[in-house]
Amino acid sequence: MFDFSTLDRLALNGTDVVLRPVFDPRLRTFSVQLWEGGEPGGIHGLVEHFRYADEPVDSIDAFLAEHGVRATTDQEAALLYAGLVQAKGGPDWALLLMSIGADEADEQA
């Protein structure tokens, strides 16, 4: 079972880095804030216009490398995607929750 309580602040294990997923409802774009040691370190999506949650996830590792931070693991990338969808909310979040629930039900069967 996933812990959805921390999707708004994904800590990268073994670092002092936290990724904060953001959805701007006015611009309808996604971004990811990089925080290092409790201080803002950059925004992935400040220049780019990510319309879909998978776009910043697909390119986050290059952004992190530019800031001297290790790449995300598969699990961290999946949690970042979920955090972006949660930040947007609405039917996309409901569908993701239903999909996760269906996957968990299949695993238990």
Side-chain angles (χ1 to χ4, degrees), residues 47-96:
V47 176
E48 306 87 352
H49 296 284
F50 297 127
R51 296 282 182 183
Y52 302 99
D54 61 330
E55 293 173 327
V57 175
D58 290 344
S59 56
I60 191 71
D61 290 340
F63 170 79
L64 292 173
E66 290 173 9
H67 290 13
V69 177
R70 69 161 176 81
T72 57
T73 64
D74 289 343
Q75 182 178 8
E76 290 166 342
L79 290 171
L80 179 59
Y81 175 81
L84 289 162
V85 175
Q86 183 186 50
K88 181 179 181 189
D92 292 343
W93 177 238
L95 287 171
L96 181 61

Side-chain angles (χ1 to χ4, degrees), residues 16-70:
D16 66 346
V17 171
V18 174
L19 302 178
R20 294 186 180 191
V22 176
F23 178 74
D24 185 324
R26 287 191 177 171
L27 298 175
R28 300 189 47 76
T29 58
F30 293 93
S31 61
V32 179
Q33 295 177 352
L34 170 69
W35 289 72
E36 295 181 87
E39 299 290 326
I43 299 175
H44 182 47
L46 187 61
V47 176
E48 306 87 352
H49 296 284
F50 297 127
R51 296 282 182 183
Y52 302 99
D54 61 330
E55 293 173 327
V57 175
D58 290 344
S59 56
I60 191 71
D61 290 340
F63 170 79
L64 292 173
E66 290 173 9
H67 290 13
V69 177
R70 69 161 176 81

